[in-house]
Amino acid sequence: MMWSRVLGTGSYLPVRQVHNTELESRIETSDAWIFARTGIRSRHVAADGEGTVDLAAVAAARAIEAAGLQPQDIDLIVCATTTPDMVFPSTGCLLQARLGTRGAAFDVQAVCTGFLYALAVADKFVASGQARHALVVGAEVFSRLLDWSDRRTCVLFGDGAGAVVLGRSEHPGIRSTHLHSDGSQAHILQVPGHLTDGKMQSHAVVHMDGQAVFRFAVRALESVCHEVLKANGLTGADIDWLVPHQANERIILATADKLGLPRERVVIALSHQGNTSAASVPLALDVAVRDGRIQRGQRVLLEAVGGGMTWGAALIEW
Ligand code: UT7
């Protein structure tokens, strides 16, 4: 049996950082409220003219380098984004042109679960032999989907990109991926809007019922994490690192508690990134790989939940 395995990771955050104290001067909020309710202190915001593909290209180049490969070795790009630079071509195709890779390139859209969806798709291509080296990217300029006068949403999100390169292996890498959606819950987290006659119809900014999303997230993440453990005959004690979606520290720690994982085995990169949607999991993963926490041979559990509603998880033997 052949597997797909992570060969390298990379990430990128835009230069400009917006601290909670800067938001205090614009809206009725406080650093104390934001930090206590979410664990966020600051987030990065893309510069004018800086697009999703610009962030993705830097993260991707770093992942390809970490994998010890050249761009021309990549024969598949799966890009997860909710904030494409154009209606079409896909961000994956724009990225392909930027990097000079070959083969197929396309986007998947599952909002904050997007990276897990992209990873699951790329894993199937690589493990089955249809691709040799896949670049899997999560990239967002989510700041452009926000109403910056709505304190219930604008304090939560940020921009960034993360990427991994997958290669084929005789030894287990990605053990299993688990994806779920419940479209009946679309109304609790959405950006309504569509283009007609070249104009955006409706106010296309994030609308969120925060408490409903919170409750949904805690239930869905516990359920999918237990699904992963059961499918692989493991318990929480067998997991070396939990790399969760970085939306809210209270949600992250609730999931860790349900798995019996101490805080020291949870990767939390939220405080200076905020919720970067599809970029959140690969960004956190890259931080923990580069600072030496995640080591070869360890078991890493990834999870995320987002608009759709969508949720998913993956177990990786690093
Ligand atoms: O990637 C998946 C996407 N999203 C999530 O995972 C988010 C899930 N939800 C959450 O993380 C939390 O629900 C929030 C962080 C969004 C909100 O925290 P909460 O503890 O659920 O607060 P709340 O919505 O119940 O609001 C409590 C109070 C309200 O005031 P009143 O009605 O009690 O007077 C809000 O108006 O806090 C107020 N509030 C704020 N105050 C200061 C809401 N936003 C803010 C703010 N600053 N930014």
Side-chain angles (χ1 to χ4, degrees):
M1 173 156 181
M2 295 299 282
W3 305 82
S4 80
R5 182 165 171 265
V6 178
L7 303 180
T9 65
S11 64
Y12 177 72
L13 289 163
V15 174
R16 176 155 148 67
Q17 221 170 337
V18 176
H19 195 273
N20 291 345
T21 48
E22 187 178 335
L23 297 178
E24 280 176 355
S25 64
R26 292 198 228 151
I27 49 173
E28 183 80 33
T29 191
S30 67
D31 175 43
W33 190 97
I34 300 170
F35 188 68
R37 300 286 176 126
T38 68
I40 299 167
R41 286 268 189 227
S42 66
R43 71 286 297 139
H44 292 253
V45 174
D48 289 347
E50 193 174 30
T52 297
V53 73
D54 299 313
L55 310 188
V58 182
R62 289 176 178 168
I64 293 168
E65 190 188 1
L69 298 174
Q70 300 294 323
Q72 53 273 24
D73 298 322
I74 302 293
D75 55 0
L76 174 70
I77 293 179
V78 188
C79 181
T81 187
T82 319
T83 51
D85 294 331
M86 299 175 73
V87 174
F88 72 82
S90 68
T91 308
C93 285
L94 299 177
L95 183 60
Q96 184 188 45
R98 192 68 76 83
L99 296 172
T101 68
R102 58 200 175 83
F106 56 91
D107 288 1
V108 298
Q109 210 271 53
V111 201
C112 300
T113 319
F115 181 77
L116 270 301
Y117 272 66
L119 188 75
V121 171
D123 168 49
K124 308 293 178 285
F125 273 86
V126 174
S128 68
Q130 287 194 53
R132 260 175 80 79
H133 297 116
L135 174 66
V136 188
V137 182
E140 303 276 18
V141 284
F142 217 81
S143 60
R144 297 193 185 134
L145 291 181
L146 301 173
D147 173 351
W148 284 93
S149 66
D150 177 8
R151 69 177 186 172
R152 293 165 306 157
T153 52
C154 77
V155 303
L156 305 173
F157 296 93
D159 301 337
V164 303
V165 172
L166 302 183
R168 209 155 183 238
S169 163
E170 285 175 8
H171 306 289
I174 298 180
R175 278 277 183 191
S176 64
T177 58
H178 305 257
L179 304 179
H180 296 278
S181 315
D182 180 358
S184 74
Q185 296 304 304
H187 58 281
I188 65 174
L189 179 54
Q190 60 179 204
V191 176
H194 62 272
L195 286 168
T196 301
D197 296 333
K199 291 199 181 66
M200 181 60 81
Q201 310 297 312
S202 141
H203 192 38
V205 294
V206 172
H207 295 257
M208 182 174 76
D209 178 343
Q211 288 190 8
V213 172
F214 192 102
R215 285 193 300 272
F216 189 100
V218 170
R219 270 200 316 272
L221 292 173
E222 180 191 3
S223 155
V224 76
C225 287
H226 279 122
E227 183 185 326
V228 174
L229 295 178
K230 192 167 171 219
N232 289 281
L234 302 173
T235 69
D238 300 310
I239 301 300
D240 294 298
W241 293 104
L242 175 67
V243 183
H245 173 42
Q246 312 282 313
N248 186 319
E249 194 166 300
R250 291 185 289 145
I251 297 175
I252 292 173
L253 295 179
T255 306
D257 266 2
K258 300 256 169 68
L259 299 176
L261 279 175
R263 194 190 172 105
E264 302 75 61
R265 278 161 49 202
V266 184
V267 178
I268 304 180
L270 179 72
S271 68
H272 63 290
Q273 294 178 6
N275 180 349
T276 55
S277 185
S280 126
V281 170
L283 263 166
L285 187 63
D286 185 51
V287 168
V289 168
R290 283 179 192 258
D291 70 17
R293 271 178 286 174
I294 296 180
Q295 296 286 329
R296 285 289 173 203
Q298 292 187 324
R299 282 201 195 96
V300 181
L301 176 58
L302 313 180
E303 47 89 325
V305 59
M309 293 298 284
T310 56
W311 65 106
L315 182 73
I316 304 179
E317 304 249 345
W318 203 257

